[in-house]
Amino acid sequence: MSDSPTPPPQLDTKTISRIGISGAILGAIIIGLFLLLWFVTGDMGMSSFPRLVISVCIPPTLIALIFGIYLLTTRPSH
């Protein structure tokens, strides 16, 4: 038995770039949805606390829903 160390995995810079760009786009979408919901609920005359809860909770929920649907539709079934 030889105790030779296994080589480290190679980094794929193309994949890392795609992940970074996807994260930046999702971040911009979430910020945009927050601002949109904040101003729309403000125009409806809501007080600050319900506006904040709605604006903070709905964008991540929508992103999670979209991501879940994507995973369910793209993964091969067994």
Side-chain angles (χ1 to χ4, degrees):
M1 278 193 186
S2 68
D3 291 328
S4 62
T6 59
Q10 297 294 322
L11 293 176
D12 185 12
T13 56
K14 185 176 180 181
T15 302
I16 292 173
S17 297
R18 281 194 331 198
I19 291 170
I21 291 170
S22 300
I25 290 171
L26 283 176
I29 289 171
I30 287 178
I31 291 170
L33 283 173
F34 172 85
L35 292 173
L36 177 71
L37 288 168
W38 180 260
F39 290 120
V40 167
T41 54
D43 288 342
M44 293 171 45
M46 286 184 154
S47 62
S48 294
F49 184 70
R51 287 172 66 192
L52 185 63
V53 170
I54 289 170
S55 298
V56 167
C57 292
I58 292 195
T61 304
L62 290 175
I63 296 294
L65 183 67
I66 291 168
F67 186 67
I69 291 170
Y70 171 77
L71 283 179
L72 289 174
T73 57
T74 58
R75 290 202 167 208
S77 60
H78 295 285

